[in-house]
Amino acid sequence: MYLAPALLVLGGLLVYPIWQLGLISFFEYTQAQVSGGEPATFEGFGNYAELFGDPQFWQVLLATVLFAAACVVSTLAVGCALAVLLTRVRAVPRLALMLAALGAWATPAVTGSTVWLFLFDPDFGPVNRMLGLGDHSWTYGRLSAFFLVLLEVVWCSFPFVMVTVYAGIRAVPAEVLEAASLDGASQWRVWRSVLAPMLRPILVVVTIQSVIWDFKVFTQIYVMTNGGGIAGQNLVLNVYAYQQAFASSQYGLGSAIGVVMLLILLAVTLVYLRLLRRQGEEW
């Protein structure tokens, strides 16, 4: 009963939009239907058949999975490393690092993307000058553009991992860490054999959150690659869905892409939780 008000709010904010998304994906829903000029036509799985028969969809899906995986691994590595660092520095450097990280976290995605574009600008950016690359364009090549976006995504995402993991480390009893040090365990061994198992529930949360966020990246790709790069070479599913739904006015097809993304994220989350549960039973 105590949870009922929150469930009602979540139902209104999540269940109804997802229902509408799934419903539209089964109809031919274009600008003509939106404006009321023509009635919506039920197509069943027609939008999904068209989507799965499009080679570009599979290319974009593969690029999205690889890009999201790289972002998740990089974010977790940077966030966990800095969380451990926070436990080993004095109060003033710790406070400075926390404020800098929270500043990056609080920066809007559009602003952060614009700043990173300026830093790597071929004409005025300081990065090219420091590296002696001249007028090299980071957004021209497919891999270099993805790498540039990855840096920005990690920059604005690692503070959540850092703060969360740091709070978990501070909750670990000091006696446990002291015992590991007395036994001659290296820093990596302490993390792998002591901290990581004890922080497993926290790592589950930050991993799932990172997977969801990075799989749904839109703003950084759209701003930094000008809508998906040259000839769509840097498209990810969210930008691809936007192009189909709003640029091409194929709202039914765009909704089908959204449903596919939702199912993929649910499947990844459930599989990840099941694997962790099995590992916990073995331990």
Side-chain angles (χ1 to χ4, degrees):
M1 294 298 295
Y2 284 118
L3 293 176
L7 293 177
L8 290 176
V9 173
L10 289 176
L13 295 177
L14 295 177
V15 177
Y16 179 74
I18 291 175
W19 163 257
Q20 287 295 317
L21 181 74
L23 186 63
I24 293 174
S25 69
F26 291 106
F27 284 84
E28 180 185 358
Y29 203 74
T30 63
Q31 191 61 41
Q33 285 76 29
V34 173
S35 60
E38 296 181 9
T41 304
F42 181 75
E43 290 194 345
F45 291 96
N47 287 321
Y48 294 94
E50 180 181 352
L51 182 64
F52 295 147
D54 184 5
Q56 187 181 17
F57 166 74
W58 297 105
Q59 296 174 5
V60 174
L61 176 60
L62 178 61
T64 304
V65 171
L66 295 178
F67 177 73
C71 288
V72 171
V73 172
S74 302
T75 302
L76 291 176
V78 173
C80 292
L82 291 178
V84 175
L85 178 63
L86 285 176
T87 63
R88 303 191 174 278
V89 296
R90 296 182 180 275
V92 175
R94 184 189 308 124
L95 178 61
L97 180 57
M98 291 282 286
L99 291 177
L102 293 177
W105 194 14
T107 302
V110 174
T111 304
S113 301
T114 305
V115 171
W116 276 82
L117 273 181
F118 169 75
L119 293 175
F120 289 85
D121 185 84
D123 297 320
F124 307 104
V127 174
N128 279 7
R129 296 181 182 178
M130 293 175 59
L131 299 178
L133 297 178
D135 58 352
H136 172 72
S137 176
W138 291 81
T139 58
Y140 183 79
R142 185 169 187 255
L143 294 180
S144 61
F146 270 128
F147 177 71
L148 180 58
V149 177
L150 181 145
L151 292 179
E152 202 281 335
V153 171
V154 173
W155 174 77
C156 67
S157 302
F158 84 85
F160 170 74
V161 178
M162 183 191 74
V163 172
T164 307
V165 175
Y166 172 71
I169 294 175
R170 298 297 295 178
V172 174
E175 295 80 4
V176 176
L177 300 179
E178 291 177 1
S181 299
L182 292 175
D183 289 339
S186 63
Q187 296 299 325
W188 168 248
R189 187 61 185 272
V190 170
W191 168 261
R192 185 172 63 89
S193 302
V194 180
L195 288 178
M198 299 186 72
L199 297 176
R200 189 160 58 93
I202 293 177
L203 294 177
V204 169
V205 172
V206 297
T207 300
I208 293 176
Q209 289 279 15
S210 297
V211 169
I212 294 173
W213 289 342
D214 295 339
F215 196 82
K216 298 192 305 178
V217 165
F218 174 84
T219 305
Q220 291 89 342
I221 289 286
Y222 193 83
V223 172
M224 301 180 72
T225 65
N226 196 21
I230 300 173
Q233 65 180 2
N234 295 112
L235 282 176
V236 292
L237 280 179
N238 238 353
V239 180
Y240 182 59
Y242 174 84
Q243 289 186 351
Q244 296 297 326
F246 297 100
S248 302
S249 297
Q250 297 181 351
Y251 300 105
L253 188 59
S255 298
I257 299 173
V259 172
V260 171
M261 291 180 60
L262 175 63
L263 294 177
I264 291 174
L265 288 174
L266 285 176
V268 170
T269 302
L270 292 176
V271 170
Y272 185 71
L273 289 175
R274 187 170 183 179
L275 290 175
L276 287 176
R277 180 176 297 178
R278 286 183 178 179
Q279 292 178 1
E281 291 176 353
E282 293 176 358
W283 291 341

